[in-house]
Amino acid sequence: MSQQHPAAPAPRSTAAAIADRRDWWRDAVIYQVYPRSFADSDGDGMGDLEGIRSRLPYLRDLGVDAVWLSPFYASPQADAGYDVADYRAVDPMFGNLLDADALIRDAHELGLRIIVDLVPNHSSDQHEWFKRALAEGPGSPLRERYHFRPGKGKNGELPPNDWESIFGGPAWTRVDDGEWYLHLFAPEQPDFNWEHPAVGDEFRSILRFWLDMGVDGFRIDVAHGLVKADGLPDLGAHDQLKLLGNDVMPFFDQDGVHEIYRQWRRILDEYSGERIFVAEAWTPTVERTANYVRPDELHQAFNFQYLSTAWDAKELREVIDRTLEAMRPVGAPATWVLSNHDVTRHATRFANPPGLGTQIRTAGDRALGLRRARAATLLMLALPGSAYVYQGEELGLPDVVDLPDEVRQDPAYFRGAGQDGFRDGCRVPIPWTRTGSSYGFGSGGSWLPQPAEWAELSVEAQSGTPGSTLQLYRAALAARREHPALGAGDAVEWLPAPQGVLAFRRGTFVCVANTTGEAVTVPAYGRVLLASGEVTDTDGETTVPADTTVWWTTAE
């Protein structure tokens, strides 16, 4: 008997029920919106808040719990909004504060929560503090709010230390008066000095500003980077520390960040509605990531170790076990993520051989990539904890790997070092309709060109189409709501399985993921709830095709 996933989702819970649900974040599915590329309301080719607002019913029907918005603050856009000039203003390209207020209100009416990005490691070089620091010169109190230092060498012509920018090149830029300032990212993104009390005061005020507007939480950009090692030591000194077993970089994952987050948590807990913090914390191990989500600090931290894992049963099981074991002592939910705005979409990563990293420049075998991406999604959504979905992955979108050089905007691309600089490929605006200058994104084209084949990947083309990736996501998210064995938890029961296959039980739920290139036979554990591909039941056994994940329920 052939088993396929259902064509339509079950009805969503009411907005009131969602708003009242306690500990919602422990099993939440959170959808990342990259505002530039989601929906354009005014035809200028750039997505905006009003465009997002108009598409909120789509996200409600998809079945997600919350929406995380990448930065929409006032910014010169040197790094797509992660260079903030004013943390209390909306950049005109995205709208204004009234638009933000309307979006938050509409989302709440639909039962969706809103999480906004917070960028506390650095500001824009157009931030008022930094502009005044430059204008007032050496000795200015404003310079103490950043990392200004004299240079080395006879005439101060060398950077203060040997740190390099994540985007390539030195992490220091010299200004006209001879001093240097630190920027772990682009020169237009000077790092704050979190040892200065004014910086902490300012960000506590910023938190309250957006909490008073009604946001339900914050995703903290570069959460591991705020505090630097005392004295800003050279990386050569770090190499000596590595010999002693300390692999923490002097500009990342310093223990001092945790007191900052304890202060923030006390502010958040003053507000009703179970609002949350989510850390973007790149750490050497998942065990160090767990330090960020202790009971008096943040609620969740992105699981980058999982995102970086190949489509391989052995590797996946190892990172799943390590994640659950690390989160259990601190009582935090595990998080699972496959794609975001900084990495190649998993439909393209899995289309290429493993070991190429998270930014890939070739399309690979697209059919294979999509098949694995669908299977990986069902595996992710079956694991205990919270899951993150990046806009367009529910459509099975691949990266656009052949963008012309002249349209690229990733700042790392132009520096030719550091990050590969090919993040534009995962940021191309998503298609909503089969036709139109931008496939429904807006009336005036799109800021990055969309491939013609995206017409048949659009929301319009996939809605109601049995077997489509969009319908698979809708069905999977509906099943998470309907079946108590899915969602929150801190453990899985591993079951015997053929080599290259993951099989586990969670209460009355069983998941099997076949990561091999061949069909396998496993027991028919019950009634098939969902499958990423077509499976066949015969005499109490189920044939699972290559690169396919299956969900069963044993409750009936």
Side-chain angles (χ1 to χ4, degrees):
M1 178 178 65
S2 177
Q3 300 279 355
Q4 292 184 316
H5 62 76
R12 181 180 171 85
S13 303
T14 65
I18 293 169
D20 292 340
R21 188 160 70 90
R22 294 191 59 78
D23 290 339
W24 64 273
W25 46 275
R26 290 191 172 274
D27 64 353
V29 176
I30 299 174
Y31 186 99
Q32 181 189 358
V33 165
Y34 192 67
R36 286 173 166 238
S37 302
F38 193 66
D40 171 21
S41 71
D42 58 11
D44 66 354
M46 188 72 67
D48 48 46
L49 296 183
E50 185 59 29
I52 298 168
R53 182 185 175 200
S54 71
R55 297 295 188 177
L56 288 174
Y58 166 79
L59 298 178
R60 173 201 59 197
D61 295 342
L62 183 61
V64 301
D65 299 286
V67 180
W68 153 35
L69 302 175
S70 291
F72 51 81
Y73 307 110
S75 166
Q77 303 295 317
D79 185 23
Y82 283 95
D83 50 317
V84 181
D86 187 342
Y87 290 84
R88 297 178 182 83
V90 173
D91 194 279
M93 75 162 60
F94 299 125
N96 54 46
L97 283 174
L98 291 177
D99 296 323
D101 180 71
L103 190 158
I104 294 167
R105 291 175 183 273
D106 281 8
H108 289 169
E109 286 295 319
L110 293 171
L112 296 168
R113 300 173 188 266
I114 295 293
I115 296 170
V116 298
D117 235 307
L118 187 67
V119 188
N121 179 70
H122 48 262
S123 74
S124 165
D125 62 354
Q126 298 304 302
H127 190 285
E128 189 61 30
W129 283 4
F130 193 77
K131 290 195 296 183
R132 286 178 53 195
L134 290 182
E136 293 174 9
S140 165
L142 270 298
R143 291 204 175 188
E144 297 175 7
R145 300 180 187 186
Y146 296 90
H147 293 279
F148 278 87
R149 296 288 189 277
K152 292 181 178 180
K154 183 177 180 180
N155 298 305
E157 70 276 11
L158 300 176
N161 67 24
D162 63 359
W163 294 3
E164 292 189 356
S165 163
I166 302 301
F167 288 162
W172 296 88
T173 289
R174 197 177 193 187
V175 300
D176 291 343
D177 55 48
E179 287 198 328
W180 298 73
Y181 69 88
L182 176 68
H183 52 87
L184 292 182
F185 295 88
E188 297 88 351
Q189 296 169 289
D191 280 44
F192 284 116
N193 174 17
W194 273 87
E195 300 298 323
H196 195 289
V199 177
D201 290 345
E202 172 68 355
F203 274 90
R204 287 189 290 272
S205 174
I206 292 167
L207 288 176
R208 292 187 183 278
F209 177 87
W210 289 102
L211 289 167
D212 289 341
M213 278 196 68
V215 302
D216 300 285
F218 300 88
R219 176 264 192 188
I220 304 169
D221 185 61
V222 196
H224 55 302
L226 278 58
V227 173
K228 280 67 174 175
D230 290 343
L232 308 184
D234 281 346
L235 287 175
H238 169 253
D239 291 339
Q240 297 299 315
L241 291 174
K242 286 180 69 174
L243 295 176
L244 301 175
N246 183 351
D247 195 29
V248 177
M249 300 292 283
F251 46 77
F252 281 152
D253 196 29
Q254 295 292 307
D255 289 338
V257 299
H258 299 292
E259 180 53 35
I260 295 170
Y261 298 138
R262 292 185 189 102
Q263 295 177 17
W264 288 12
R265 180 62 179 265
R266 290 193 288 271
I267 291 173
L268 203 70
D269 288 347
E270 295 174 12
Y271 288 79
S272 62
E274 292 203 73
R275 310 190 200 194
I276 69 167
F277 287 121
V278 182
E280 182 208 29
W282 290 87
T283 64
T285 65
V286 69
E287 289 79 11
R288 286 206 58 95
T289 300
N291 291 337
Y292 290 79
V293 289
R294 289 175 285 201
D296 61 344
E297 294 188 43
L298 310 178
H299 296 77
Q300 295 182 352
F302 288 144
N303 189 344
F304 292 116
Q305 286 81 8
Y306 186 78
L307 182 150
S308 302
T309 302
W311 179 239
D312 175 87
K314 182 177 182 293
E315 294 182 28
L316 286 164
R317 178 164 175 171
E318 288 175 357
V319 75
I320 290 168
D321 282 341
R322 286 192 65 187
T323 298
L324 295 173
E325 289 168 6
M327 296 300 143
R328 201 174 292 125
V330 296
T335 65
W336 316 100
V337 60
L338 293 167
S339 290
N340 64 37
H341 66 292
D342 280 334
V343 301
T344 300
R345 290 182 178 275
H346 60 286
T348 297
R349 288 206 315 278
F350 293 151
N352 284 275
L356 298 181
T358 58
Q359 289 194 29
I360 297 172
R361 307 178 190 182
T362 63
D365 184 336
R366 287 188 172 177
L368 174 65
L370 179 58
R371 187 166 69 247
R372 288 177 171 176
R374 288 161 57 95
T377 293
L378 284 197
L379 172 61
M380 175 184 76
L381 293 175
L383 294 170
S386 181
Y388 282 78
V389 172
Y390 178 51
Q391 66 176 45
E393 72 172 75
E394 76 277 15
L395 305 177
L397 296 184
D399 252 48
V400 182
V401 297
D402 55 355
L403 287 170
D405 291 352
E406 60 269 20
V407 305
R408 292 188 179 276
Q409 299 193 27
D410 184 350
Y413 177 79
F414 299 100
R415 290 176 173 81
Q419 292 186 17
D420 287 338
F422 284 81
R423 296 177 296 175
D424 292 315
C426 66
R427 299 175 177 183
V428 174
I430 66 174
W432 293 92
T433 60
R434 282 190 168 100
T435 59
S437 64
S438 61
Y439 304 108
F441 168 69
S443 60
S446 63
W447 67 284
L448 286 173
Q450 302 152 299
E453 60 266 26
W454 278 22
E456 293 307 312
L457 296 178
S458 65
V459 173
E460 179 184 29
Q462 296 196 46
S463 291
T465 302
S468 73
T469 302
L470 176 57
Q471 293 303 110
L472 176 67
Y473 271 73
R474 286 174 171 170
L477 297 183
R480 276 178 66 100
R481 293 183 178 277
E482 294 172 4
H483 292 271
L486 283 167
D490 63 4
V492 299
E493 175 193 352
W494 293 108
L495 302 174
Q499 186 173 359
V501 176
L502 292 172
F504 60 85
R505 185 189 308 275
R506 299 185 60 207
T508 59
F509 171 84
V510 174
C511 176
V512 169
N514 177 12
T515 71
T516 75
E518 305 290 338
V520 298
T521 300
V522 299
Y525 288 100
R527 178 174 64 85
V528 173
L529 276 178
L530 202 55
S532 64
E534 187 170 327
V535 301
T536 303
D537 285 350
T538 306
D539 298 329
E541 292 186 323
T542 301
T543 300
V544 182
D547 301 308
T548 298
T549 298
V550 188
W551 291 0
W552 287 268
T553 179
T554 63
E556 289 87 4

